Structure formats: structure tokens, C-alpha cells
Amino acid sequence: MNNTTPAALVRATLRLQFRAGMTIDDATALVPQFARLGISHLYASPLFAARPGSTHGYDTVAYDQIDPALGGEAALVRLTDRLHAHGMGLILDIVPNHMAVDAHNAWWMDVLAWGQASAHATWFDINWHDPAPDLRGRVLLPFLDRPLPEAMMAGSLVLRHDGDGGLFHIQHHEHSFPLSPASYAALLAQVEAPGALLAAFTTVALRGGPGAEADSALAALRHWAATQRGQAAMMRLASLHDGCDPAGRTRLERLLAAQPWRLACWREAATRINWRRFFDITGLVGVCVERAEVFEAVHGYLFSLYQRGLVDGVRVDHIDGLAAPAAYCQRLRARLDALGRLRPESALPGAAIYVEKILATHESLPAAWPVEGTTGYDFMDQVSAVLHDARAAPVLDRLWAACGPDARACGLIAREARVQLLAGGFAAEFGQLTRLLATALKARGADCMPAADLRAVLEAVLVSFTFYRTYFGDEVMQDHAEDGAALHAASTAARPRLEARLQPVLDTVVSILSARPEHAPAACVRRAEQAFEHLTAPLAAKSTEDTAFYRYGRLISRNEVGSDPARLGLAVAGFHAGCTARAHARPAAMLTTATHDHKRGEDSRARLAVLSEMAPRWHAQASEWFARNGAETAIGPDRIDELMLYQTMLGAWPLTPFASVTTREAWCERIVQWQTKALREAKRHTNWLTPDTAYEDACTAFARRLAANGAFMARMDQVVARMAPAGALNGLAQTLLRLTTPGVPDLYQGCDLWDFSLVDPDNRRPVDFGLRHALLEHAGSFDASAATWRTGQVKFDLIRRILSFRARYPDLFAKGHYQPLEVEGADRDHAIAFLRQHDGFSLLVVAPRLPLGMEIQADTLAPGRDMALRVTLPQPVGPWHSLLGALPVQATVPFARGQVPLVCLVHDAGGRGLP
């Protein structure tokens, strides 16, 4: 890994979601507030030009400009000026893997206009050699609302001329498909266009591609189309190609046949798509950023911003979508390091590189990637798991099993989802991979075999492959021990499912998929290898995060991005092991507990973790609701969906009573919105493509009936009242651990107060920054905040205090040694303790866990009994200064009755004076 980046400069980040009401100038006004909170870097969602109306920015249409809808580059300059005035920097989220399939994407439109002759034909991951005769050398465009013949007869394909760009288009609702200028001569001849214009486009057809002749011809067409005669001709052409008329339909068919693309119904995308998408989203096309010219085009403007000091670091979206992540990271690091010498003297040193990467439980970030670390999903899993009581598994399993035959083990559910997705949403990608492997097998000298046999072998491997991907297809020589282990585990699991005659095929397939670049495998082998790696990542994401997480309801606080729901809890020793490994390998990795992609808010997860401490009582309560609420007397929900609904309601329940019927109904609307999305993602009774409105309506009616049932709501309120104090302490514990363990803490917008949000779009709602400004202005003691903990100020105060200390003593956190501490006594399971030490400073942190067993008091969050635990310090240290206020009687006996059990103590051996 790269050790030269001054990681200490990135002390703490704040993730801000732009669009949907947040502009760059809006963010600029908030900079002083973030600085006072102790943030060192604003961590911005994508700012480059996106599809008009985008709510998130991941649908990029141009990499060479800041989105005008956000204020453009001028606004970015104002933001960075304000950031630098407060000693802060900017980390920008970039999206090199994919772009929007949109008329505003000039590169994509050029490909549609010119096909393989386009200068951008190889910039997108398009299979120009598709075996289907009608797609060979063409791009499938599955955007019609019905099959092509029906669309033509319905008159929904309309010929239009763009007076500004000069191109003809086929318009279909919001979609615009440019016609190739090579087909314009025959088109214009139908309306007796000027002879010179026809001759010009005859030359264009002869050339077959863009160039000076085409530019000149299009300019002449624009000029003629603007005349009265030309305007009449354009109207005449539209009429001549009206699909509602049989003759017009024939002309339209002939015109469409001459294009470098083929129109199709959107339902054909799953089976016929011949270009790589982002996951299964047909509106996003894969970019070949591994090509040098594409890398430069995608990053050229970013490099300019960095060189000018307007950007200080990057977050790379979906790194596993790239063909060669290691090569990409090395190229990106090298360019940023080289440009660093050209930055203004006033610019911050940099640049930090973070990658969005989902790590399996025993997976580490490849050492060949010269980056600071991941965006923190691995930490989010670890800190959540350590706050769950793994001993509850048998009781929770019994409750889960009572939900019916579909309530199976998480691994089986995920495997079934993979099978379903391979046959459905990823059928085209699966077919392409099978064909590439067949070619590679033939090159290896393997006998020809039926396609069905090869598909059976490949499916067995894919459904058993639990990592996101391997990296054998990368261009960089690197350690493939983890890749090999993952592939071996998948093949071992696949073997019993295959006939004996297919075992040798399995071995050969695995050898192809594990070919290394230094062994110079054939090009067909490399293509098969990369196609496998391009499929496993979206298959893993869609089968687990977007399917199994909505089917497996044992305890949904563990159904989170980056987590394995089958693992209910993590021992304290396991949490320490993760922190120690991170301190050694990636000390500047990002630590997060909430993101724009999380399934539920960080404090909702923390509250639901309490169910693992009260599993028998929860089993009884859920069973009572099953019996009383009558879900199974209607169409739905079934037991699984009902159990997940109850948990969601518990997790999102407000800390203060509903102020009115209106507020209760607004809360119910959020629950219903979540429920509909959850049902469709689960794909059990309904889905996004073919919704079962009867089942969805029944589930909605059930949820609304619960919200209107006074007895149920009162009982829900009682259950939450018991859980909420312990849940709040869990939330404070994970916040404390995020702020003090090795790594850079990230604060997702709005999560400085309690976060009981649901999955997007709920977790992207506007944030009340005015309230947070007022909290900064009227900061009081930590004890006073704890006494009114339901307001969330105690969490805000915890963050403010520790981030302020980090700002004064950054090296203690960036370079400080991490030492787990032994906890002894009958209550030792209730504490996580460690030291951070550097340059004479010692930071002692003791965070609570399993707080329900501590009898946390509802008014103070303090233990309601004496705690029998003692922390063993390596040597006598003192005196201690508390970052949170009052000191315990002894540092070695940290949790005292009557005090909030959060300990963050500092000792300075050098007597330098502490805040």
C-alpha cells in the first residue's frame, strides 16, 4: 500500500448528498458549521454533470463539467475557497465505471449515430460480435414500452429532426435515438432535397463514419431544414414514416434496419442485452476505463480540478465494476502524485483515495491497490456485529422457522436468489460468459460439449461463489491467495451438484478463471475471465443486498450492506482483531456507520440489536402479534413479511410521542413506502417488473390498519420504551468506536443526531442544518445532554467533543498504536476497552455493549446497578482528563452507577495541557 500520503490530514469526513434540494452554494454556507464540529474534509456525492433531474448524480452524462444544476465550476470555486479558509478540504465521489444512457451523453449518442465507426465505439463495454445475426455489429436498445411491431403500429416511434445538432432522431416518449447520417441520403431523397445535399450525404454513406465530410453535410442540412421548404420537408418525412399507416410502417422498418442499433421492448434487456450495464440497470452503460484514452477522457477534468487545488481527494464508486481495479488504482495514484507537485502552495497535501468495496468476512483489500482504504462498510459490519448478542441465535432461529417453509437459512436464500437472477435479470450476461468460456475451452484443446453442460458447470460455480469477485483478470501482478481460496471454495461447493462426467470440465473452467496475466494466457481466456468477474460482482450485490436481505428476516439489523446476516454477533476479541489489522494495513481507511445506500439508519440498527438481548421476550411478543393481528386471514402479508414489518416499525419508532394524527400518518407513509420497496426487492410475491398489486395493496392495508389500531400502537410504544434507552446507548457506543478506533470517521449527513431512517429514498431526506447550528451555539455539558438524550443532543455533543480533540491532536489517531485491553469481572461482556498511544499521549476508550443487561435507566442512560467489571491497564497511568466530562472513580473501574457508561480519557505524559 502507499505510505506516502499524509493521511493525518484527513481527520474526519462529512458525507453530503447533493441534488434533491442541496446545491454547491448551499453547502458553502454550511462550511463554518462543519468546521466547528471538527470536520476536516467535506465528502461530496458526485458533482459532475448528470442526467437532468438526477437525484443522486451517479448517472453521469459528462465528465468534463460540474453539473450546472448544482452551480457549475464557479460554485465549486466558492465552496473550495470557503473550505480552505477553514483549513478544510474536499473529497469528491467519482463514477468511472458507468455513464447514463441518455440523450445528454454525447459519447453514447455518437456511438448510436455512427456505430463501430464512432471514435467512442470502444469506450463503452459493447459486444460488437454478438452471435445473434440482428445484433452483430449493432447495439441493442431495449427501451420500448412494447415490442417493436406494436410500437410502430401504435405510432409511438416518431421521426424528428434536431435543428440544433442536425441529426434525425426516432423519438419514443422520453427516449431519443439518433439516426446514422450514413442513412440520410436515402431518407432525404424521399422529399426531393437539394441535389447538393443528397450528394453530400451520399459521400457520407460512402465514408461510413464521422469526419469533415459529415460535419459539412450536417451543417448544410441544418441550414436547409431551417428554411420554409426544409421545414415542410421535415414534416413530410415524419408523415411518410408514420407507423400507424401500413406504407409508413414499411418505410419506418426500412429506415430502422439501416441503423447501427436495434430497438426492442424493455423486457428483452435481461435476455438480449449486448453491452455491460451497472448491475441490471439498463439506463447505465459500462465504461471501459481500463483503456488509456478512456481513462484520460474520464479523469482529465478531475485532474485539472485537483491540480488547481479545487479537489483534495476522491472516492471511487463501485471499484469492483472495473475490469482491472489494481491497474486503475495504480494509474490514478501515479497521476495524482505527479500533479501534486503542481498544485498551488495554498492547497492541502493529498490526495486521499477511497474505494467503495464490499469485503467478505475474511477478505482484505488487495495490497496492490495504493489507496487509503475502503469507504467503511467493513467497519460498519464489525461495529454492528459486536453490539449484538450471538447467544440469541437459537431463540431467534425458532421464531424465524415459525414463519413458514420460505424461512430458510440465509445462505440457502442467497443461493436460490442467485439461481433466480442468472435465469432472469442476468440471463444475457450469463449466456455471454458461457459462450466465452466455450471458446476458451476450445482454445485449451477441450472437446466440444453441449452448451447445457457448460451452463450447468458454470451455474454451479456462480451460485456457490460468495465473494464479490476475484482479480485474476486484472492487468497487475499481485497476490491472488484470497482469490484462489474463494474460487476453490466455490468449486468445492459446486462439485457435489454436478454429475461425475462434468467434474473434469469443472476443473478446466476453474483453471481458466484463475489464469494470471504473468502467465500470458490467450486473449480468449482473458475475455472469459473478465466476463466472469464482471458478472459475480453484480450477482453478489443483487442476490444478497437487493434480494436475500428482504427475504431473510431473522433479525434485520444484521441485513446491512457489507454484512453477513447469518453471523448474528461478533465477539469483542474479533472486533479488536479487525481494528488491529486495519491499524497495521490501512490506518487511514474510512469508518462509517451510515451511507446513502444503507438499508436502515445507524440508530435503528442499534435499537434492533437490543432484540438479541431479549430474544425470548421478543419471540413471545412477535408470536402474540401473529396471533392477534390477523395478517394471514387476508391476502397478505405472509409471516415473513409480517415479521420484517414489525421489526421495521420498532426500528423507526420515534423517541417522542406522535404530536398529531398528521405526524403519525406521515410516519406510516414512510413505513408503507419501505414496505412496497422491500416486497418488490424480495421478489417472492411481487417484483418491480410485474408487480402483484393485490398482494401489495393487502400489505399496505395491513400496515395502515396497525397504525390506526390504538391497542397495537400502545403496545408497540411499550416495547420501544423498553428497548429505546439501551438502543440509544448502543448508538452512542458505535459512534464512540467510530470516532476513536484506527481509521478516519465519516459522518453521513444528519447522523450527528439520532438516525432512524429507512432505505433510500428515506435516508436521503433533507437535513435540518439550522437545528444543528443552534446546538453548536448552545453547547452544554455532556451530562446535561445525556439527561435529555431523546433530543439527540447527547450524540451531537459526543461527536463534537471528540472531533474537536482529534483536530488538536491528529497524530494520536492517525499514527497512534492500538492496544486492546483485558476486561475482567462478571460483567466483562458489557465493555469494549482499548488504548491509543502516541508521542506521550494515551487515550483510554471504554464503550458499552449489550446494554439491556446493564439495566440502563430511561431518564439518564446510566446503569441501574453496580457493574462488576475491571479494565486492566498495561502500566499505571494518570492523571486522566475526560473528554466527556465527569471522571469515574478509577480509570480501571470505568462504569459507575449514575453515570453514562461511555469513557474517553486522555493522559499526557508530557504535561502539554489538555482542553
Side-chain angles (χ1 to χ4, degrees), residues 116-173:
Q116 287 181 275
S118 167
H120 305 101
T122 58
W123 289 32
F124 299 104
D125 199 350
I126 300 168
N127 178 19
W128 294 104
H129 306 286
D130 194 290
D134 65 323
L135 292 182
R136 193 167 297 126
R138 295 179 174 89
V139 180
L140 183 74
L141 300 179
F143 297 106
L144 303 184
D145 61 357
R146 66 196 73 188
L148 177 58
E150 296 178 20
M152 287 193 293
M153 286 190 289
S156 61
L157 300 180
V158 182
L159 179 63
R160 293 277 186 263
H161 181 257
D162 177 9
D164 294 326
L167 294 176
F168 283 100
H169 295 256
I170 294 295
Q171 194 72 34
H172 178 70
H173 302 308

Side-chain angles (χ1 to χ4, degrees), residues 16 38 52 77 81 89 108 135-136 163 188 206 269 330 350 381 414 463 537 541 602 617 620 673 678 760 793 841 906:
L16 203 58
V77 171
D81 284 347
W108 178 252
L135 292 182
R136 193 167 297 126
L188 292 169
L206 195 62
Q330 291 181 7
D381 171 45
V463 300
E602 61 181 36
R617 185 172 300 185
Q673 184 183 48
D760 67 278
Q793 185 166 348
F841 277 102
V906 184

Side-chain angles (χ1 to χ4, degrees), residues 219-288:
L221 176 58
R222 283 197 301 272
H223 182 273
W224 181 65
T227 67
Q228 185 174 2
R229 183 181 173 188
Q231 291 173 1
M234 297 303 109
M235 295 177 62
R236 175 66 176 153
L237 280 174
S239 176
L240 286 171
H241 294 81
D242 183 354
C244 294
D245 172 70
R249 190 158 56 251
T250 298
R251 295 187 191 95
L252 183 58
E253 288 175 346
R254 188 183 307 119
L255 179 62
L256 295 179
Q259 305 311 312
W261 38 260
R262 286 290 178 265
L263 295 178
C265 176
W266 62 271
R267 293 184 182 276
E268 294 187 49
T271 56
R272 301 198 71 211
I273 195 83
N274 65 343
W275 39 274
R276 179 169 57 88
R277 301 170 289 177
F278 172 70
F279 291 6
D280 59 349
I281 302 174
T282 311
L284 298 173
V285 58
V287 176
C288 296

Side-chain angles (χ1 to χ4, degrees), residues 813-824:
F813 297 91
K815 303 175 183 178
H817 176 65
Y818 179 86
Q819 181 175 358
L821 297 179
E822 188 78 21
V823 181
E824 300 175 339

Side-chain angles (χ1 to χ4, degrees), residues 533-593:
E533 293 170 349
H534 272 315
L535 178 54
T536 57
L539 184 62
K542 296 299 293 184
S543 63
T544 53
E545 299 164 22
D546 292 342
T547 304
F549 282 8
Y550 295 98
R551 293 181 180 180
Y552 182 68
R554 180 178 68 170
L555 188 58
I556 61 175
S557 50
R558 292 295 297 136
N559 295 13
E560 192 51 83
V561 180
S563 300
D564 178 6
R567 183 177 71 163
L568 180 60
L570 176 67
V572 173
F575 179 77
H576 283 316
C579 292
T580 300
R582 187 168 59 253
H584 174 71
R586 307 280 180 177
M590 195 174 283
L591 311 179
T592 193
T593 47

Side-chain angles (χ1 to χ4, degrees), residues 487-834:
L487 199 53
H488 175 74
S491 63
T492 299
R495 201 169 295 278
R497 302 189 179 101
L498 296 172
E499 299 176 35
R501 65 185 179 85
L502 297 179
Q503 303 291 332
V505 181
L506 173 63
D507 294 334
T508 305
V509 166
V510 170
S511 71
I512 289 173
L513 297 178
S514 56
R516 304 185 179 198
E518 60 265 34
H519 297 157
C524 61
V525 170
R526 297 287 286 166
R527 281 193 286 269
E529 201 168 42
Q530 291 183 347
F532 176 79
E533 293 170 349
H534 272 315
L535 178 54
T536 57
L539 184 62
K542 296 299 293 184
S543 63
T544 53
E545 299 164 22
D546 292 342
T547 304
F549 282 8
Y550 295 98
R551 293 181 180 180
Y552 182 68
R554 180 178 68 170
L555 188 58
I556 61 175
S557 50
R558 292 295 297 136
N559 295 13
E560 192 51 83
V561 180
S563 300
D564 178 6
R567 183 177 71 163
L568 180 60
L570 176 67
V572 173
F575 179 77
H576 283 316
C579 292
T580 300
R582 187 168 59 253
H584 174 71
R586 307 280 180 177
M590 195 174 283
L591 311 179
T592 193
T593 47
T595 76
H596 59 288
D597 285 329
H598 67 231
K599 301 302 182 185
R600 53 194 46 82
E602 61 181 36
D603 296 303
S604 177
R605 292 194 306 273
R607 180 189 291 171
L608 290 173
V610 176
L611 292 178
S612 70
E613 290 192 75
M614 50 184 284
R617 185 172 300 185
W618 168 237
H619 187 302
Q621 180 61 77
S623 299
E624 177 187 333
W625 282 335
F626 287 157
R628 288 191 176 185
N629 292 333
E632 291 198 330
T633 63
I635 298 174
D638 68 5
R639 281 281 185 262
I640 289 176
D641 295 332
E642 186 180 2
L643 180 63
M644 297 181 80
L645 174 62
Y646 293 144
Q647 293 179 68
T648 298
M649 296 174 82
L650 285 172
W653 195 269
L655 284 169
T656 55
F658 293 110
S660 65
V661 173
T662 301
T663 57
R664 186 191 68 192
E665 290 177 347
W667 174 84
C668 183
E669 285 303 317
R670 293 175 52 218
I671 297 296
V672 166
Q673 184 183 48
W674 164 85
Q675 183 184 51
T676 300
K677 178 170 182 173
L679 295 174
R680 292 182 179 181
E681 293 284 17
K683 296 176 278 290
R684 295 174 58 242
H685 299 288
T686 184
N687 57 66
W688 293 106
L689 300 183
T690 55
D692 184 335
T693 55
Y695 186 80
E696 291 180 4
D697 291 346
C699 291
T700 296
F702 179 74
R704 295 192 192 283
R705 179 160 59 84
L706 291 180
N709 184 321
F712 172 80
M713 295 291 277
R715 182 56 184 157
M716 178 71 70
D717 196 45
Q718 292 171 0
V719 176
V720 173
R722 174 168 176 75
M723 296 171 61
L729 194 57
N730 268 343
L732 295 176
Q734 74 177 354
T735 299
L736 176 62
L737 294 170
R738 172 166 52 88
L739 295 172
T740 56
T741 53
V744 173
D746 172 48
L747 175 65
Y748 181 67
Q749 61 174 31
C751 290
D752 39 12
L753 297 179
W754 299 127
D755 172 30
F756 301 114
S757 63
L758 301 168
V759 73
D760 67 278
D762 192 67
N763 61 11
R764 304 181 191 185
R765 287 176 295 158
V767 177
D768 187 349
F769 288 107
L771 171 60
R772 287 153 177 82
H773 175 74
L775 292 177
L776 279 172
E777 291 294 319
H778 302 95
S781 70
F782 187 76
D783 288 341
S785 297
T788 58
W789 62 270
R790 287 178 176 81
T791 66
Q793 185 166 348
V794 63
K795 183 181 180 183
F796 188 88
D797 198 37
L798 174 65
I799 294 170
R800 176 185 61 82
R801 287 169 176 267
I802 297 181
L803 289 188
S804 295
F805 182 76
R806 287 186 71 119
R808 293 190 61 180
Y809 305 101
D811 285 350
L812 174 61
F813 297 91
K815 303 175 183 178
H817 176 65
Y818 179 86
Q819 181 175 358
L821 297 179
E822 188 78 21
V823 181
E824 300 175 339
D827 288 324
R828 60 185 177 275
D829 288 342
H830 289 289
I832 304 168
F834 57 88

